[in-house]
Amino acid sequence: MTRILVLGGTAEASRLARALADAGADAVFSYAGRTQAPVAQPLPTRVGGFGGVEGLIAYLRAERITHVVDATHPFAAQMSANAVAACGRAGVALAAFERAPWQPGPGDRWTRVADLGAAVAALPDAPARVFLAIGRQNLDVFAARPGHFYLLRLVDEPQAPLPLPDCAAVIARGPFSVEQDTDLLRQHRIDLIVAKNSGGRGAEAKLAAARALGLPVVMIDRPAVPDRLVLGHVDEVMRWLGH
Ligand SMILES: NC(=O)c1ccc[n+]([C@@H]2O[C@H](COP(=O)([O-])OP(=O)(O)OC[C@H]3O[C@@H](n4cnc5c(N)ncnc54)[C@H](OP(=O)(O)O)[C@@H]3O)[C@@H](O)[C@H]2O)c1
């Protein structure tokens, strides 16, 4: 009997959950628990870390999981590496459901960097107004460059003081439109955007807005993840699961 664990936290994971529920599949959806009110799913849902690779192996065995679909964000590299290790050791089939990275097009002014540290190093010396579109985690590395103003966009109100001396936080949950993002960039007189190369539609609008306004983008490449089967569409995942 097929029993599926979906590792979620993305719009893609939510789309897959809908398809699995519609197909009547036996599946559990998992959230890390990073946001206060995660999107409700049409599948039984658990929340919180598993406790590393060992914890995940124990969970897979206890729940008799036969297939794991890793539909986490491309920057959730720890969870993805844990899934590869745990599924390998537990003999559970694993596929990643991953969106393609964004590619620069005509009119884009991207500087591609390997990681967050390189993004910090790529900031200009003169004080600038930066849209730091990287979510809530990892803001502290930008504290090394306190001379800039940082605009943040967060899902939840911050519960603790932010580590950046000159910043403003907009509380909003995607997807965002090009119009909204163009307004946001104009309103805050943004000079430069720092983004993770997440791919997908929900966070893409800021790139079109940057293009329209002629703004440069520091684009952080995805972290490396161990080799695994990667599928790009819900239909492919459903076929792989035998539906
Ligand atoms: N990183 C981003 O930019 C980003 C953006 C949008 C959404 N997200 C979503 O936010 C979540 C956390 O991302 P992250 O970058 O903090 O992950 P991460 O660094 O790869 O994972 C850290 C730990 O969080 C737990 N975890 C992560 N995803 C989980 C899931 N779906 N279910 C249960 N536990 C999970 C695991 O804890 P244990 O080791 O205890 O199992 C994992 O070792 C992910 O679900 C991801 O899809 C991340």
Side-chain angles (χ1 to χ4, degrees):
M1 289 293 280
T2 300
R3 182 158 158 78
I4 303 153
L5 171 65
V6 178
L7 302 172
T10 57
E12 285 69 23
S14 299
R15 281 199 285 123
L16 177 62
R18 181 76 265 159
L20 288 168
D22 289 348
D26 182 10
V28 182
F29 192 97
S30 177
Y31 274 124
R34 295 279 190 275
T35 55
Q36 282 164 17
V39 176
Q41 298 297 338
L43 293 175
T45 300
R46 63 165 302 286
V47 181
F50 297 95
V53 174
E54 299 304 327
L56 182 53
I57 291 172
Y59 179 88
L60 296 174
R61 289 188 174 142
E63 291 291 324
R64 301 181 185 283
I65 300 294
T66 59
H67 293 69
V68 173
V69 181
D70 177 1
T72 58
H73 190 272
F75 279 72
Q78 184 64 58
M79 185 69 251
S80 294
N82 289 359
V84 171
C87 289
R89 281 175 50 196
V92 169
L94 169 69
F97 176 25
E98 199 176 74
R99 51 214 190 183
W102 294 314
Q103 301 295 340
D108 280 327
R109 297 173 57 200
W110 289 16
T111 301
R112 297 180 77 151
V113 296
D115 53 29
L116 283 158
V120 174
L123 294 179
D125 292 332
R129 297 181 65 83
V130 180
F131 178 23
L132 191 50
I134 63 165
R136 185 190 46 168
Q137 297 182 70
N138 312 118
L139 294 177
D140 46 340
V141 296
F142 288 86
R145 304 295 298 277
H148 301 304
F149 163 80
Y150 295 98
L151 173 66
L152 313 175
R153 182 156 60 190
L154 309 174
V155 174
D156 296 314
E157 281 288 349
Q159 298 299 302
L162 294 166
L164 304 168
D166 186 12
C167 70
V170 172
I171 310 302
R173 198 191 281 263
F176 305 104
S177 71
V178 178
E179 211 169 42
Q180 274 175 316
D181 278 4
T182 307
D183 284 351
L184 186 74
L185 297 174
R186 280 209 177 108
Q187 192 189 334
H188 291 272
R189 293 177 285 113
I190 294 301
D191 303 309
L192 166 79
I193 297 171
V194 177
K196 293 174 171 175
N197 198 336
S198 305
R201 310 293 290 275
E204 192 179 32
K206 60 180 177 276
L207 303 177
R211 190 181 309 131
L213 297 174
L215 296 181
V217 175
V218 174
M219 184 62 77
I220 306 171
D221 280 341
R222 297 175 173 193
V225 173
D227 272 350
R228 69 245 161 108
L229 173 67
V230 177
L231 304 172
H233 298 279
V234 170
D235 293 354
E236 283 179 83
V237 179
M238 294 301 283
R239 268 198 301 280
W240 178 72
L241 291 167
H243 284 279

